[in-house]
Amino acid sequence: MKIVVVGGTGMIGSKLVDALAGRSLEIEIASPSRGVDTVTGEGLAEALSGARVVVDVSNSPTFDQDVALAFFEASGRNLLAAEEVAGVEHHVVLSAVGTDRLPDSGYFRAKMMQEVMVRSANVPYTIVRSTPFFEYINGIVETAAQGDALRISPALIQPIAGDDVALALRDVVLGRAQNRELEIVGPDRFRLDDLARQILTANEDPRPIIADRQALYFGAVLRDDSLIPSGHPRCAQTRFEDWLRLYVAQSLAPAN
């Protein structure tokens, strides 16, 4: 079985490729660095030839609304059209929990458009909505910087380890198309501002964090239910405290 991983050189994509290794599978990594550009369509037909499953874990180069909309529209249109021609049997796309609840965010509107395109295409699909990755919490925190302080929403969040996202995607890829959305989450819930304090402590960063209900998250004000699952999600195993302990150990390890 041939599986094409679009965005296979990124963090989640490379973890997924590793998770699929050791099986009787043909794995094709599709990314601009490998000569495959979903935005322009370059190399798509060749990459998808003979593919049974396509996994799209690519992402916009920035969170800017216009850039994200242009990326997901062009990439989705080209990819789904090429899949239909190639006879792909299952399109798997990585999306985000809260995509349908944050219309004030330009980035999440772009992700919603991507989901709509997938549902409207003639290729069987599964949409995997994930909560934010542990590995991205640092970046989320930095977007809240205002001078010497950080204003962060105290909304609930249930983040997940990138390795667990890859394992969930692997299981979806090896199964049948479900033509619906699935949610994957971490095992524990936190207040986003409390999670940010743990990250800053781990980084020995003294900046104060101010809990602010009006603080923006990718351009949107969060409610308590914005970033947590709405149904019966797949719950991952890795706890944030265990991941954070390893993160600190790795940051203190001497460079080779």
mmCIF file of all heavy atoms in Angstrom, residues 2 4 6 48 51-56 75-93 114-127 175-181:
data_model
loop_
_atom_site.group_PDB
_atom_site.id
_atom_site.type_symbol
_atom_site.label_atom_id
_atom_site.label_comp_id
_atom_site.label_asym_id
_atom_site.label_seq_id
_atom_site.Cartn_x
_atom_site.Cartn_y
_atom_site.Cartn_z
ATOM 1 N N LYS A 2 0.597 2.151 -0.899
ATOM 2 C CA LYS A 2 1.349 3.400 -0.969
ATOM 3 C C LYS A 2 0.616 4.491 -0.195
ATOM 4 O O LYS A 2 -0.578 4.731 -0.404
ATOM 5 C CB LYS A 2 1.551 3.838 -2.419
ATOM 6 C CG LYS A 2 2.334 5.149 -2.553
ATOM 7 C CD LYS A 2 2.583 5.527 -4.009
ATOM 8 C CE LYS A 2 3.302 6.859 -4.136
ATOM 9 N NZ LYS A 2 3.564 7.243 -5.544
ATOM 10 N N VAL A 4 1.019 8.592 0.885
ATOM 11 C CA VAL A 4 1.711 9.855 0.645
ATOM 12 C C VAL A 4 1.487 10.764 1.851
ATOM 13 O O VAL A 4 0.342 10.999 2.255
ATOM 14 C CB VAL A 4 1.210 10.540 -0.637
ATOM 15 C CG1 VAL A 4 1.909 11.878 -0.834
ATOM 16 C CG2 VAL A 4 1.426 9.640 -1.845
ATOM 17 N N VAL A 6 1.842 14.401 2.955
ATOM 18 C CA VAL A 6 2.042 15.783 2.528
ATOM 19 C C VAL A 6 2.458 16.603 3.752
ATOM 20 O O VAL A 6 1.736 16.654 4.746
ATOM 21 C CB VAL A 6 0.759 16.362 1.902
ATOM 22 C CG1 VAL A 6 0.976 17.819 1.482
ATOM 23 C CG2 VAL A 6 0.317 15.523 0.718
ATOM 24 N N LEU A 48 1.452 11.193 -6.346
ATOM 25 C CA LEU A 48 0.212 10.494 -5.998
ATOM 26 C C LEU A 48 -0.054 9.260 -6.857
ATOM 27 O O LEU A 48 -0.981 8.499 -6.575
ATOM 28 C CB LEU A 48 -0.975 11.446 -6.111
ATOM 29 C CG LEU A 48 -1.372 12.191 -4.826
ATOM 30 C CD1 LEU A 48 -0.207 12.987 -4.253
ATOM 31 C CD2 LEU A 48 -2.563 13.109 -5.083
ATOM 32 N N ALA A 51 -1.088 5.862 -5.285
ATOM 33 C CA ALA A 51 -1.323 6.027 -3.841
ATOM 34 C C ALA A 51 -2.734 5.589 -3.465
ATOM 35 O O ALA A 51 -3.699 5.869 -4.170
ATOM 36 C CB ALA A 51 -1.112 7.483 -3.439
ATOM 37 N N ARG A 52 -2.835 4.925 -2.337
ATOM 38 C CA ARG A 52 -4.141 4.556 -1.804
ATOM 39 C C ARG A 52 -4.603 5.556 -0.745
ATOM 40 O O ARG A 52 -5.781 5.842 -0.608
ATOM 41 C CB ARG A 52 -4.098 3.156 -1.197
ATOM 42 C CG ARG A 52 -5.471 2.670 -0.727
ATOM 43 C CD ARG A 52 -5.412 1.288 -0.094
ATOM 44 N NE ARG A 52 -4.932 0.290 -1.037
ATOM 45 C CZ ARG A 52 -4.749 -0.989 -0.722
ATOM 46 N NH1 ARG A 52 -4.981 -1.407 0.514
ATOM 47 N NH2 ARG A 52 -4.329 -1.840 -1.633
ATOM 48 N N VAL A 53 -3.639 6.069 0.046
ATOM 49 C CA VAL A 53 -3.962 7.000 1.133
ATOM 50 C C VAL A 53 -3.071 8.229 1.016
ATOM 51 O O VAL A 53 -1.876 8.119 0.727
ATOM 52 C CB VAL A 53 -3.737 6.346 2.520
ATOM 53 C CG1 VAL A 53 -4.118 7.310 3.639
ATOM 54 C CG2 VAL A 53 -4.521 5.044 2.638
ATOM 55 N N VAL A 54 -3.667 9.408 1.249
ATOM 56 C CA VAL A 54 -2.909 10.655 1.338
ATOM 57 C C VAL A 54 -3.185 11.275 2.702
ATOM 58 O O VAL A 54 -4.344 11.408 3.109
ATOM 59 C CB VAL A 54 -3.286 11.643 0.220
ATOM 60 C CG1 VAL A 54 -2.612 12.997 0.447
ATOM 61 C CG2 VAL A 54 -2.909 11.084 -1.137
ATOM 62 N N VAL A 55 -2.127 11.635 3.410
ATOM 63 C CA VAL A 55 -2.248 12.290 4.709
ATOM 64 C C VAL A 55 -1.727 13.706 4.563
ATOM 65 O O VAL A 55 -0.570 13.909 4.201
ATOM 66 C CB VAL A 55 -1.417 11.571 5.794
ATOM 67 C CG1 VAL A 55 -1.815 12.074 7.171
ATOM 68 C CG2 VAL A 55 -1.565 10.073 5.689
ATOM 69 N N ASP A 56 -2.561 14.693 4.856
ATOM 70 C CA ASP A 56 -2.163 16.096 4.727
ATOM 71 C C ASP A 56 -1.910 16.678 6.113
ATOM 72 O O ASP A 56 -2.841 16.966 6.862
ATOM 73 C CB ASP A 56 -3.256 16.881 4.003
ATOM 74 C CG ASP A 56 -2.842 18.328 3.732
ATOM 75 O OD1 ASP A 56 -1.679 18.683 4.035
ATOM 76 O OD2 ASP A 56 -3.681 19.094 3.223
ATOM 77 N N SER A 75 -3.659 24.846 -1.908
ATOM 78 C CA SER A 75 -3.152 23.519 -1.601
ATOM 79 C C SER A 75 -4.262 22.486 -1.609
ATOM 80 O O SER A 75 -4.130 21.410 -2.197
ATOM 81 C CB SER A 75 -2.451 23.532 -0.239
ATOM 82 O OG SER A 75 -1.972 22.249 0.092
ATOM 83 N N GLY A 76 -5.379 22.814 -0.959
ATOM 84 C CA GLY A 76 -6.492 21.872 -0.900
ATOM 85 C C GLY A 76 -7.094 21.591 -2.263
ATOM 86 O O GLY A 76 -7.392 20.438 -2.603
ATOM 87 N N ARG A 77 -7.276 22.636 -3.053
ATOM 88 C CA ARG A 77 -7.849 22.459 -4.391
ATOM 89 C C ARG A 77 -6.971 21.557 -5.249
ATOM 90 O O ARG A 77 -7.451 20.598 -5.882
ATOM 91 C CB ARG A 77 -8.015 23.823 -5.066
ATOM 92 C CG ARG A 77 -8.663 23.747 -6.464
ATOM 93 C CD ARG A 77 -8.696 25.103 -7.146
ATOM 94 N NE ARG A 77 -7.352 25.610 -7.429
ATOM 95 C CZ ARG A 77 -6.824 26.679 -6.855
ATOM 96 N NH1 ARG A 77 -7.504 27.349 -5.950
ATOM 97 N NH2 ARG A 77 -5.601 27.082 -7.176
ATOM 98 N N ASN A 78 -5.686 21.848 -5.284
ATOM 99 C CA ASN A 78 -4.776 21.056 -6.115
ATOM 100 C C ASN A 78 -4.648 19.622 -5.617
ATOM 101 O O ASN A 78 -4.647 18.671 -6.410
ATOM 102 C CB ASN A 78 -3.388 21.713 -6.141
ATOM 103 C CG ASN A 78 -3.375 23.011 -6.913
ATOM 104 O OD1 ASN A 78 -4.174 23.221 -7.816
ATOM 105 N ND2 ASN A 78 -2.462 23.903 -6.558
ATOM 106 N N LEU A 79 -4.525 19.468 -4.324
ATOM 107 C CA LEU A 79 -4.308 18.134 -3.757
ATOM 108 C C LEU A 79 -5.523 17.242 -3.966
ATOM 109 O O LEU A 79 -5.399 16.090 -4.419
ATOM 110 C CB LEU A 79 -3.983 18.264 -2.267
ATOM 111 C CG LEU A 79 -3.632 16.975 -1.520
ATOM 112 C CD1 LEU A 79 -2.466 16.261 -2.173
ATOM 113 C CD2 LEU A 79 -3.321 17.290 -0.053
ATOM 114 N N LEU A 80 -6.714 17.741 -3.669
ATOM 115 C CA LEU A 80 -7.922 16.920 -3.792
ATOM 116 C C LEU A 80 -8.223 16.584 -5.247
ATOM 117 O O LEU A 80 -8.653 15.470 -5.557
ATOM 118 C CB LEU A 80 -9.099 17.637 -3.131
ATOM 119 C CG LEU A 80 -9.009 17.718 -1.602
ATOM 120 C CD1 LEU A 80 -9.979 18.766 -1.057
ATOM 121 C CD2 LEU A 80 -9.290 16.356 -0.965
ATOM 122 N N ALA A 81 -7.976 17.532 -6.147
ATOM 123 C CA ALA A 81 -8.187 17.251 -7.575
ATOM 124 C C ALA A 81 -7.228 16.171 -8.061
ATOM 125 O O ALA A 81 -7.621 15.249 -8.799
ATOM 126 C CB ALA A 81 -8.006 18.527 -8.388
ATOM 127 N N ALA A 82 -5.976 16.260 -7.640
ATOM 128 C CA ALA A 82 -4.989 15.249 -8.038
ATOM 129 C C ALA A 82 -5.318 13.890 -7.439
ATOM 130 O O ALA A 82 -5.102 12.846 -8.084
ATOM 131 C CB ALA A 82 -3.590 15.701 -7.612
ATOM 132 N N GLU A 83 -5.837 13.865 -6.233
ATOM 133 C CA GLU A 83 -6.222 12.602 -5.606
ATOM 134 C C GLU A 83 -7.370 11.933 -6.365
ATOM 135 O O GLU A 83 -7.379 10.707 -6.548
ATOM 136 C CB GLU A 83 -6.646 12.848 -4.154
ATOM 137 C CG GLU A 83 -5.494 13.168 -3.224
ATOM 138 C CD GLU A 83 -5.963 13.450 -1.806
ATOM 139 O OE1 GLU A 83 -7.053 12.987 -1.428
ATOM 140 O OE2 GLU A 83 -5.235 14.139 -1.067
ATOM 141 N N GLU A 84 -8.335 12.734 -6.797
ATOM 142 C CA GLU A 84 -9.463 12.163 -7.537
ATOM 143 C C GLU A 84 -8.976 11.522 -8.837
ATOM 144 O O GLU A 84 -9.400 10.423 -9.201
ATOM 145 C CB GLU A 84 -10.505 13.243 -7.828
ATOM 146 C CG GLU A 84 -11.780 12.703 -8.450
ATOM 147 C CD GLU A 84 -12.868 13.745 -8.562
ATOM 148 O OE1 GLU A 84 -12.679 14.885 -8.064
ATOM 149 O OE2 GLU A 84 -13.914 13.428 -9.160
ATOM 150 N N VAL A 85 -8.067 12.190 -9.535
ATOM 151 C CA VAL A 85 -7.513 11.644 -10.783
ATOM 152 C C VAL A 85 -6.732 10.359 -10.506
ATOM 153 O O VAL A 85 -6.811 9.387 -11.260
ATOM 154 C CB VAL A 85 -6.604 12.688 -11.471
ATOM 155 C CG1 VAL A 85 -5.860 12.063 -12.643
ATOM 156 C CG2 VAL A 85 -7.432 13.889 -11.939
ATOM 157 N N ALA A 86 -5.985 10.345 -9.396
ATOM 158 C CA ALA A 86 -5.131 9.197 -9.066
ATOM 159 C C ALA A 86 -5.907 8.035 -8.468
ATOM 160 O O ALA A 86 -5.354 6.940 -8.303
ATOM 161 C CB ALA A 86 -4.030 9.634 -8.102
ATOM 162 N N GLY A 87 -7.177 8.253 -8.123
ATOM 163 C CA GLY A 87 -7.974 7.179 -7.530
ATOM 164 C C GLY A 87 -7.655 6.913 -6.067
ATOM 165 O O GLY A 87 -7.806 5.777 -5.587
ATOM 166 N N VAL A 88 -7.228 7.946 -5.341
ATOM 167 C CA VAL A 88 -6.925 7.799 -3.914
ATOM 168 C C VAL A 88 -8.196 7.398 -3.163
ATOM 169 O O VAL A 88 -9.280 7.938 -3.404
ATOM 170 C CB VAL A 88 -6.348 9.116 -3.354
ATOM 171 C CG1 VAL A 88 -6.254 9.081 -1.832
ATOM 172 C CG2 VAL A 88 -4.981 9.386 -3.961
ATOM 173 N N GLU A 89 -8.056 6.450 -2.239
ATOM 174 C CA GLU A 89 -9.206 5.892 -1.533
ATOM 175 C C GLU A 89 -9.466 6.522 -0.167
ATOM 176 O O GLU A 89 -10.526 6.312 0.418
ATOM 177 C CB GLU A 89 -9.023 4.384 -1.360
ATOM 178 C CG GLU A 89 -8.931 3.627 -2.677
ATOM 179 C CD GLU A 89 -8.610 2.156 -2.489
ATOM 180 O OE1 GLU A 89 -8.665 1.680 -1.317
ATOM 181 O OE2 GLU A 89 -8.302 1.477 -3.475
ATOM 182 N N HIS A 90 -8.502 7.269 0.349
ATOM 183 C CA HIS A 90 -8.680 7.827 1.701
ATOM 184 C C HIS A 90 -7.809 9.075 1.841
ATOM 185 O O HIS A 90 -6.591 9.012 1.682
ATOM 186 C CB HIS A 90 -8.276 6.772 2.746
ATOM 187 C CG HIS A 90 -8.608 7.139 4.162
ATOM 188 N ND1 HIS A 90 -8.213 6.359 5.244
ATOM 189 C CD2 HIS A 90 -9.299 8.183 4.694
ATOM 190 C CE1 HIS A 90 -8.649 6.923 6.367
ATOM 191 N NE2 HIS A 90 -9.303 8.027 6.063
ATOM 192 N N HIS A 91 -8.457 10.189 2.127
ATOM 193 C CA HIS A 91 -7.756 11.452 2.388
ATOM 194 C C HIS A 91 -7.862 11.732 3.880
ATOM 195 O O HIS A 91 -8.966 11.864 4.428
ATOM 196 C CB HIS A 91 -8.397 12.591 1.595
ATOM 197 C CG HIS A 91 -7.777 13.933 1.865
ATOM 198 N ND1 HIS A 91 -6.720 14.427 1.134
ATOM 199 C CD2 HIS A 91 -8.077 14.887 2.786
ATOM 200 C CE1 HIS A 91 -6.385 15.621 1.590
ATOM 201 N NE2 HIS A 91 -7.203 15.924 2.599
ATOM 202 N N VAL A 92 -6.723 11.818 4.546
ATOM 203 C CA VAL A 92 -6.664 12.130 5.978
ATOM 204 C C VAL A 92 -6.058 13.514 6.140
ATOM 205 O O VAL A 92 -5.004 13.808 5.566
ATOM 206 C CB VAL A 92 -5.805 11.092 6.739
ATOM 207 C CG1 VAL A 92 -5.772 11.424 8.235
ATOM 208 C CG2 VAL A 92 -6.329 9.684 6.512
ATOM 209 N N VAL A 93 -6.722 14.368 6.898
ATOM 210 C CA VAL A 93 -6.187 15.725 7.093
ATOM 211 C C VAL A 93 -6.136 16.031 8.578
ATOM 212 O O VAL A 93 -7.047 15.680 9.347
ATOM 213 C CB VAL A 93 -7.032 16.782 6.339
ATOM 214 C CG1 VAL A 93 -8.458 16.834 6.862
ATOM 215 C CG2 VAL A 93 -6.384 18.158 6.437
ATOM 216 N N GLN A 114 -10.582 24.729 4.756
ATOM 217 C CA GLN A 114 -9.908 23.492 4.356
ATOM 218 C C GLN A 114 -10.801 22.282 4.642
ATOM 219 O O GLN A 114 -10.951 21.384 3.792
ATOM 220 C CB GLN A 114 -8.583 23.352 5.105
ATOM 221 C CG GLN A 114 -7.806 22.087 4.745
ATOM 222 C CD GLN A 114 -6.631 21.848 5.681
ATOM 223 O OE1 GLN A 114 -6.713 22.118 6.889
ATOM 224 N NE2 GLN A 114 -5.537 21.355 5.135
ATOM 225 N N GLU A 115 -11.417 22.258 5.819
ATOM 226 C CA GLU A 115 -12.299 21.144 6.162
ATOM 227 C C GLU A 115 -13.494 21.067 5.211
ATOM 228 O O GLU A 115 -13.886 19.976 4.777
ATOM 229 C CB GLU A 115 -12.790 21.282 7.605
ATOM 230 C CG GLU A 115 -11.737 21.033 8.664
ATOM 231 C CD GLU A 115 -12.344 20.897 10.053
ATOM 232 O OE1 GLU A 115 -13.589 20.816 10.149
ATOM 233 O OE2 GLU A 115 -11.587 20.856 11.036
ATOM 234 N N VAL A 116 -14.081 22.211 4.890
ATOM 235 C CA VAL A 116 -15.231 22.242 3.978
ATOM 236 C C VAL A 116 -14.841 21.681 2.613
ATOM 237 O O VAL A 116 -15.594 20.915 1.995
ATOM 238 C CB VAL A 116 -15.786 23.674 3.852
ATOM 239 C CG1 VAL A 116 -16.808 23.764 2.721
ATOM 240 C CG2 VAL A 116 -16.421 24.112 5.169
ATOM 241 N N MET A 117 -13.670 22.038 2.132
ATOM 242 C CA MET A 117 -13.198 21.532 0.843
ATOM 243 C C MET A 117 -13.056 20.010 0.882
ATOM 244 O O MET A 117 -13.422 19.314 -0.077
ATOM 245 C CB MET A 117 -11.870 22.181 0.475
ATOM 246 C CG MET A 117 -11.948 23.654 0.172
ATOM 247 S SD MET A 117 -10.325 24.407 -0.126
ATOM 248 C CE MET A 117 -9.879 23.630 -1.671
ATOM 249 N N VAL A 118 -12.543 19.496 1.978
ATOM 250 C CA VAL A 118 -12.364 18.049 2.111
ATOM 251 C C VAL A 118 -13.715 17.340 2.089
ATOM 252 O O VAL A 118 -13.898 16.323 1.405
ATOM 253 C CB VAL A 118 -11.588 17.723 3.401
ATOM 254 C CG1 VAL A 118 -11.617 16.228 3.702
ATOM 255 C CG2 VAL A 118 -10.147 18.205 3.292
ATOM 256 N N ARG A 119 -14.686 17.876 2.818
ATOM 257 C CA ARG A 119 -16.019 17.254 2.864
ATOM 258 C C ARG A 119 -16.714 17.312 1.517
ATOM 259 O O ARG A 119 -17.536 16.445 1.191
ATOM 260 C CB ARG A 119 -16.884 17.948 3.918
ATOM 261 C CG ARG A 119 -16.421 17.750 5.348
ATOM 262 C CD ARG A 119 -17.437 18.322 6.340
ATOM 263 N NE ARG A 119 -16.830 18.523 7.639
ATOM 264 C CZ ARG A 119 -16.339 19.672 8.074
ATOM 265 N NH1 ARG A 119 -16.398 20.763 7.307
ATOM 266 N NH2 ARG A 119 -15.798 19.766 9.266
ATOM 267 N N SER A 120 -16.423 18.340 0.741
ATOM 268 C CA SER A 120 -17.121 18.541 -0.535
ATOM 269 C C SER A 120 -16.487 17.781 -1.689
ATOM 270 O O SER A 120 -17.082 17.697 -2.770
ATOM 271 C CB SER A 120 -17.144 20.039 -0.876
ATOM 272 O OG SER A 120 -17.757 20.796 0.146
ATOM 273 N N ALA A 121 -15.294 17.240 -1.495
ATOM 274 C CA ALA A 121 -14.580 16.557 -2.573
ATOM 275 C C ALA A 121 -15.139 15.155 -2.798
ATOM 276 O O ALA A 121 -15.941 14.647 -2.009
ATOM 277 C CB ALA A 121 -13.094 16.494 -2.256
ATOM 278 N N ASN A 122 -14.683 14.523 -3.861
ATOM 279 C CA ASN A 122 -15.145 13.174 -4.208
ATOM 280 C C ASN A 122 -14.165 12.103 -3.735
ATOM 281 O O ASN A 122 -14.071 11.043 -4.353
ATOM 282 C CB ASN A 122 -15.347 13.070 -5.721
ATOM 283 C CG ASN A 122 -16.481 13.953 -6.215
ATOM 284 O OD1 ASN A 122 -17.537 14.026 -5.588
ATOM 285 N ND2 ASN A 122 -16.251 14.637 -7.324
ATOM 286 N N VAL A 123 -13.463 12.385 -2.646
ATOM 287 C CA VAL A 123 -12.504 11.427 -2.096
ATOM 288 C C VAL A 123 -12.940 11.098 -0.667
ATOM 289 O O VAL A 123 -13.153 12.018 0.134
ATOM 290 C CB VAL A 123 -11.078 12.022 -2.083
ATOM 291 C CG1 VAL A 123 -10.083 11.000 -1.512
ATOM 292 C CG2 VAL A 123 -10.653 12.450 -3.480
ATOM 293 N N PRO A 124 -13.097 9.821 -0.317
ATOM 294 C CA PRO A 124 -13.427 9.474 1.070
ATOM 295 C C PRO A 124 -12.390 10.069 2.022
ATOM 296 O O PRO A 124 -11.202 10.125 1.696
ATOM 297 C CB PRO A 124 -13.382 7.943 1.069
ATOM 298 C CG PRO A 124 -13.647 7.556 -0.357
ATOM 299 C CD PRO A 124 -12.990 8.626 -1.187
ATOM 300 N N TYR A 125 -12.817 10.494 3.206
ATOM 301 C CA TYR A 125 -11.928 11.267 4.063
ATOM 302 C C TYR A 125 -12.100 10.936 5.541
ATOM 303 O O TYR A 125 -13.100 10.350 5.962
ATOM 304 C CB TYR A 125 -12.184 12.767 3.865
ATOM 305 C CG TYR A 125 -13.530 13.219 4.423
ATOM 306 C CD1 TYR A 125 -13.642 13.658 5.740
ATOM 307 C CD2 TYR A 125 -14.682 13.195 3.639
ATOM 308 C CE1 TYR A 125 -14.868 14.052 6.270
ATOM 309 C CE2 TYR A 125 -15.903 13.590 4.142
ATOM 310 C CZ TYR A 125 -15.997 14.016 5.464
ATOM 311 O OH TYR A 125 -17.206 14.393 5.977
ATOM 312 N N THR A 126 -11.123 11.340 6.331
ATOM 313 C CA THR A 126 -11.217 11.427 7.783
ATOM 314 C C THR A 126 -10.511 12.702 8.210
ATOM 315 O O THR A 126 -9.364 12.936 7.823
ATOM 316 C CB THR A 126 -10.558 10.227 8.494
ATOM 317 O OG1 THR A 126 -11.091 9.003 7.975
ATOM 318 C CG2 THR A 126 -10.818 10.294 9.997
ATOM 319 N N ILE A 127 -11.209 13.552 8.956
ATOM 320 C CA ILE A 127 -10.624 14.782 9.495
ATOM 321 C C ILE A 127 -10.244 14.517 10.949
ATOM 322 O O ILE A 127 -11.101 14.153 11.755
ATOM 323 C CB ILE A 127 -11.607 15.957 9.401
ATOM 324 C CG1 ILE A 127 -11.925 16.282 7.933
ATOM 325 C CG2 ILE A 127 -11.048 17.192 10.114
ATOM 326 C CD1 ILE A 127 -13.058 17.287 7.755
ATOM 327 N N GLY A 175 -6.631 2.489 8.824
ATOM 328 C CA GLY A 175 -8.029 2.073 8.868
ATOM 329 C C GLY A 175 -8.811 2.571 7.664
ATOM 330 O O GLY A 175 -8.250 3.087 6.699
ATOM 331 N N ARG A 176 -10.108 2.428 7.738
ATOM 332 C CA ARG A 176 -10.992 2.853 6.646
ATOM 333 C C ARG A 176 -11.364 4.330 6.792
ATOM 334 O O ARG A 176 -11.395 4.865 7.901
ATOM 335 C CB ARG A 176 -12.270 2.007 6.637
ATOM 336 C CG ARG A 176 -12.045 0.538 6.326
ATOM 337 C CD ARG A 176 -13.377 -0.210 6.328
ATOM 338 N NE ARG A 176 -13.195 -1.613 6.019
ATOM 339 C CZ ARG A 176 -13.159 -2.118 4.782
ATOM 340 N NH1 ARG A 176 -13.301 -1.291 3.750
ATOM 341 N NH2 ARG A 176 -12.995 -3.409 4.576
ATOM 342 N N ALA A 177 -11.660 4.955 5.665
ATOM 343 C CA ALA A 177 -12.159 6.333 5.695
ATOM 344 C C ALA A 177 -13.465 6.386 6.475
ATOM 345 O O ALA A 177 -14.346 5.541 6.287
ATOM 346 C CB ALA A 177 -12.365 6.844 4.274
ATOM 347 N N GLN A 178 -13.596 7.379 7.348
ATOM 348 C CA GLN A 178 -14.793 7.468 8.201
ATOM 349 C C GLN A 178 -15.753 8.570 7.785
ATOM 350 O O GLN A 178 -16.862 8.647 8.292
ATOM 351 C CB GLN A 178 -14.356 7.662 9.654
ATOM 352 C CG GLN A 178 -13.495 6.505 10.164
ATOM 353 C CD GLN A 178 -13.251 6.568 11.649
ATOM 354 O OE1 GLN A 178 -14.142 6.906 12.429
ATOM 355 N NE2 GLN A 178 -12.039 6.257 12.069
ATOM 356 N N ASN A 179 -15.305 9.450 6.887
ATOM 357 C CA ASN A 179 -16.156 10.540 6.390
ATOM 358 C C ASN A 179 -16.768 11.352 7.530
ATOM 359 O O ASN A 179 -17.954 11.697 7.515
ATOM 360 C CB ASN A 179 -17.251 9.987 5.472
ATOM 361 C CG ASN A 179 -16.676 9.385 4.200
ATOM 362 O OD1 ASN A 179 -15.790 9.961 3.581
ATOM 363 N ND2 ASN A 179 -17.153 8.204 3.844
ATOM 364 N N ARG A 180 -15.944 11.655 8.508
ATOM 365 C CA ARG A 180 -16.376 12.467 9.654
ATOM 366 C C ARG A 180 -15.137 13.025 10.350
ATOM 367 O O ARG A 180 -14.011 12.743 9.956
ATOM 368 C CB ARG A 180 -17.198 11.635 10.639
ATOM 369 C CG ARG A 180 -16.419 10.520 11.346
ATOM 370 C CD ARG A 180 -17.340 9.653 12.192
ATOM 371 N NE ARG A 180 -16.622 8.615 12.898
ATOM 372 C CZ ARG A 180 -16.260 8.693 14.188
ATOM 373 N NH1 ARG A 180 -16.549 9.784 14.891
ATOM 374 N NH2 ARG A 180 -15.609 7.709 14.777
ATOM 375 N N GLU A 181 -15.386 13.810 11.422
ATOM 376 C CA GLU A 181 -14.305 14.377 12.204
ATOM 377 C C GLU A 181 -14.048 13.513 13.441
ATOM 378 O O GLU A 181 -14.989 13.037 14.073
ATOM 379 C CB GLU A 181 -14.633 15.806 12.663
ATOM 380 C CG GLU A 181 -14.937 16.782 11.547
ATOM 381 C CD GLU A 181 -16.372 16.668 11.057
ATOM 382 O OE1 GLU A 181 -17.285 16.483 11.905
ATOM 383 O OE2 GLU A 181 -16.574 16.746 9.836
#
